[in-house]
Amino acid sequence: MLELHDVTAGYTRRAPVFRGASLTVASGESVGLLGPSGCGKSTLARVAALLHRPDAGRVVLDGTEIRAWRHRAPRAQRTAVGVVFQQPRLSADPRLRLADLIAEPLRATGRRDEIPERLAALVPAVGLTDDLLTRRPHEVSDGQLQRACLARALILRPRWLICDEMTAMLDASTTAALVAAVESYRAETGAGLLAVGHDRVLLNRWCGRTLDWAECLAEQG
């Protein structure tokens, strides 16, 4: 279970982006979080991904309360969560070829020997081709780069996946392909999903249940 209880978070303590947000995602469940731009849902997604320390509240992952964040969190917790952001060009190192971009988490965790096998499985699963792997981000389209970012998020086989407006900048066919890739991975692994967005139709089709932002704030932890 991924649980956020009565979370308050922001970038200055005097003016948090939101107060008292709660949600839960069960293992294997897909939950959509719907809200307008600027409401704080992306900040909440970063809290859920262990990338942003909240000012108040509790985050519980697989029964263990989170006590440390980002690189200070234990490796087992950090690698349990994969995240895909809205803007791939802001989350990809422009110096890396796509193959290195995708494999980055394996190198960072000392698992270089797994790179060939995981690349061979993930590249076709996200709709990339081998010829794209030698290119750098500026040499591919937004859709191709986002496919690589999704592969990077999946390469450690996380138990939880957070997609923060993953398809907001993409066309309909690429959106459908990426959603299909996520669902194929979830069917294989039983991973839980939190999908953040502003497209109600997409979230309702994709997720087992969809929370409006106001409901998230109204839930009791």
Side-chain angles (χ1 to χ4, degrees), residues 34-144:
L34 178 75
S37 297
C39 68
K41 60 188 187 297
S42 289
T43 301
L44 187 66
R46 290 181 62 83
V47 172
L50 314 188
L51 295 175
H52 186 80
R53 179 188 288 274
D55 298 327
R58 299 168 57 239
V59 178
V60 181
L61 183 67
D62 296 324
T64 300
E65 186 168 349
I66 300 300
R67 302 290 188 183
W69 307 84
R70 298 182 68 87
H71 63 280
R72 296 183 182 275
R75 178 178 292 181
Q77 293 178 342
R78 296 197 314 268
T79 58
V81 184
V83 59
V84 188
F85 298 104
Q86 176 181 353
Q87 298 182 332
R89 299 197 184 279
L90 297 182
S91 59
D93 187 332
R95 301 167 297 179
L96 296 181
R97 293 180 173 86
L98 293 197
D100 296 322
L101 172 72
I102 296 168
E104 195 175 13
L106 286 174
R107 288 194 177 88
T109 53
R111 296 161 59 181
R112 291 172 179 266
D113 57 322
E114 298 178 36
I115 290 174
E117 179 183 356
R118 294 298 293 140
L119 280 179
L122 279 171
V123 167
V126 299
L128 290 174
T129 54
D130 289 340
D131 62 295
L132 294 171
L133 297 183
T134 59
R135 301 183 188 181
R136 291 183 171 84
H138 73 275
E139 298 174 315
V140 299
S141 69
D142 286 346
Q144 291 165 335

Side-chain angles (χ1 to χ4, degrees), residues 160-194:
W160 304 96
L161 187 62
I162 297 173
C163 296
D164 181 15
E165 305 245 26
M166 177 181 74
T167 64
M169 301 177 64
L170 307 178
D171 60 36
S173 62
T174 305
T175 293
L178 290 183
V179 169
V182 168
E183 289 308 292
S184 177
Y185 174 80
R186 293 202 323 109
E188 176 191 352
T189 64
L193 168 70
L194 175 62

